[in-house]
């Protein structure tokens, strides 16, 4: 069973122009790395592409056919508002329908969601109601709600914000799902973030049989340093359980 990752992408109107171009570039950097990792470690990763703007849709269901994923990313266009709740629900449904849990040398690695947004959620009932709905959706992914929606484990959400994003909301989503959040200075920095996510998968594959190493931030930092990545803290998105 491969590791499952859903790329949940904001394609609202504020992402038009350079934003959507950089988003596509970053996603392709991620896919290049995932494909290379599959060749080097025999660890396949299924990737889905879900977009949200005035509506949410699964552009590509979970697959390890990375050509299909690239085609899905390249087909994205920006426009409309930011229906983040609908996007989260579409990501959840994709995992319930096509997702699974990876057992790697006795370690359970749950699916993950990488949420990228440059704005604030919108809803016909207003911004505050939109936030409440988003947080309610996040609970369904996290330890407090995953069983009620039928997930076998909670699913961490990595929140990547840029531009006029709601930092407090992204922090709350990360906390509710045992995920993480990062705010990039500009949309071009997304490629760096996505590249690191690929390196983290390689770290997990290398040390999967050694739980002490797998959970060691020092070991992770040393591993990334060997690959030329200097980080101040662990950005491990994949949740592991014994």
């Amino acid at each position: 069973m491969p590791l499952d990752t859903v790329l949940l992408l904001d394609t609202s109107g504020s992402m038009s122009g350079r934003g959507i171009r950089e988003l596509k570039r970053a996603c392709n950097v991620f896919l290049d790395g995932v494909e290379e990792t599959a060749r080097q470690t025999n660890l396949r990763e299924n990737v889905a592409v879900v977009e949200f703007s005035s509506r949410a849709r699964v552009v590509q269901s979970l697959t390890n056919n990375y050509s299909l994923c690239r085609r899905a990313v390249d087909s994205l266009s920006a426009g409309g508002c930011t229906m983040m709740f609908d996007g989260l629900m579409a990501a959840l449904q994709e995992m319930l329908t096509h997702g699974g849990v990876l057992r790697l040398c006795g370690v359970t690695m749950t699916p993950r969601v990488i949420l990228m947004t440059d704005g604030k959620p919108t809803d016909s009932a207003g911004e505050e109601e939109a936030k409440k709905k988003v947080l309610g959706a996040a609970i369904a992914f996290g330890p407090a709600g995953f069983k009620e929606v039928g997930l076998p484990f909670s699913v961490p959400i990595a929140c990547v914000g840029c531009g006029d994003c709601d930092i407090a909301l992204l922090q709350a989503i990360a906390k509710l799902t045992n995920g993480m959040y990062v705010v990039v200075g500009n949309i071009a920095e997304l490629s760096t973030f996505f590249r690191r996510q690929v390196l983290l998968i390689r770290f997990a594959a290398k040390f999967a049989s050694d739980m002490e190493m797998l959970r060691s931030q020092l070991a992770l930092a040393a591993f990334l340093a060997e690959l030329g990545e200097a980080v101040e803290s662990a950005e491990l998105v994949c949740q592991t359980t014994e």
Side-chain angles (χ1 to χ4, degrees):
M1 176 70 72
L3 177 68
D4 293 331
T5 297
V6 175
L7 298 178
L8 180 55
L9 309 174
D10 180 351
T11 56
S12 59
S14 59
M15 288 291 293
S16 61
R18 182 187 177 194
I20 196 70
R21 291 194 299 271
E22 292 290 353
L23 177 64
K24 291 179 179 182
R25 185 169 72 88
C27 289
N28 279 305
V29 167
F30 176 77
L31 291 168
D32 289 345
V34 166
E35 190 166 21
E36 181 64 19
T37 298
R39 286 196 295 265
Q40 291 183 0
T41 67
N42 200 32
L43 174 62
R44 295 177 299 145
E45 182 167 1
N46 282 339
V47 179
V49 179
V50 178
E51 69 164 338
F52 62 94
S53 53
S54 296
R55 64 187 182 98
R57 70 183 182 108
V58 177
V59 188
Q60 175 60 55
S61 289
L62 286 162
T63 181
N64 55 31
N65 184 330
Y66 304 121
S67 295
L68 292 179
C69 294
R70 290 188 183 91
R71 198 174 304 160
V73 168
D74 291 341
S75 73
L76 298 176
S77 60
C81 54
T82 312
M83 303 297 285
M84 191 182 299
F85 169 78
D86 292 350
L88 287 165
M89 288 294 95
L92 177 62
Q93 186 59 48
E94 175 62 19
M95 290 202 162
L96 287 170
T97 305
H98 301 114
V101 175
L102 172 67
R103 295 287 297 179
L104 188 62
C105 300
V107 178
T108 299
M109 301 180 68
T110 67
R112 61 180 179 169
V113 174
I114 299 177
L115 164 65
M116 180 275 146
T117 180
D118 75 333
K120 299 177 174 63
T122 53
D123 186 89
S124 58
E127 185 175 317
E128 289 306 312
E129 182 62 25
K131 290 181 182 181
K132 289 180 182 178
K133 289 174 66 175
V134 165
L135 292 176
I139 290 172
F141 287 85
F146 74 91
K147 291 181 180 178
E148 293 184 15
V149 297
L151 289 171
F153 289 93
S154 61
V155 175
I157 300 178
C159 301
V160 186
C162 62
D164 189 32
C165 65
D166 187 329
I167 296 176
L169 180 64
L170 297 185
Q171 289 176 323
I173 294 171
K175 184 176 181 179
L176 287 168
T177 65
N178 286 339
M180 52 83 70
Y181 82 97
V182 61
V183 177
V184 298
N186 59 71
I187 195 74
E189 292 180 23
L190 276 177
S191 294
T192 298
F193 173 82
F194 281 129
R195 184 176 68 252
R196 285 184 178 171
Q197 302 315 301
V198 172
L199 296 179
L200 293 170
I201 293 301
R202 295 184 187 178
F203 175 81
K206 182 175 181 179
F207 296 111
S209 60
D210 188 335
M211 286 303 298
E212 183 176 350
M213 287 292 288
L214 189 61
R215 290 173 173 168
S216 169
Q217 291 191 5
L218 289 176
L220 174 57
F223 178 80
L224 293 177
E226 288 178 2
L227 297 170
E229 290 289 330
V231 292
E232 296 181 357
S233 61
E235 296 177 351
L236 190 57
V237 176
C238 299
Q239 179 185 6
T240 61
T241 60
E242 293 189 58

